Amino acid sequence: MQAIGSKLETYINKYLDLWSLYGVIQVTQKGKVLFKNSYGIKNDMNSRFSMEEITLG
């Protein structure tokens, strides 16, 4: 699953070159965390952010 994390990181970094993002991105599949990282001024996984959820499938 490391390949998924690497691809997501590349995609997200391209987005960050254009726009600001403050928060945590977590991608899960069938309850297993595939990718999780925090971005922005306070780059801390324990920070509180509003949570948005996108469900595919």
Side-chain angles (χ1 to χ4, degrees):
M1 294 297 167
Q2 182 63 24
I4 292 172
S6 178
K7 289 179 181 179
L8 283 169
E9 192 69 40
T10 299
Y11 179 81
I12 293 164
N13 285 331
K14 287 180 182 179
Y15 176 89
L16 291 173
D17 287 341
L18 301 172
W19 305 98
S20 297
L21 172 66
Y22 304 104
V24 175
I25 296 176
Q26 177 175 309
V27 178
T28 60
Q29 183 178 37
K30 296 182 181 177
K32 182 177 179 183
V33 176
L34 302 179
F35 177 83
K36 183 176 181 180
N37 203 355
S38 61
Y39 300 91
I41 294 173
K42 183 157 176 126
N43 190 5
D44 179 356
M45 295 300 285
N46 295 316
S47 297
R48 292 181 182 234
F49 298 98
S50 63
M51 185 173 186
E52 299 294 331
E53 180 178 341
I54 299 174
T55 304
L56 302 175

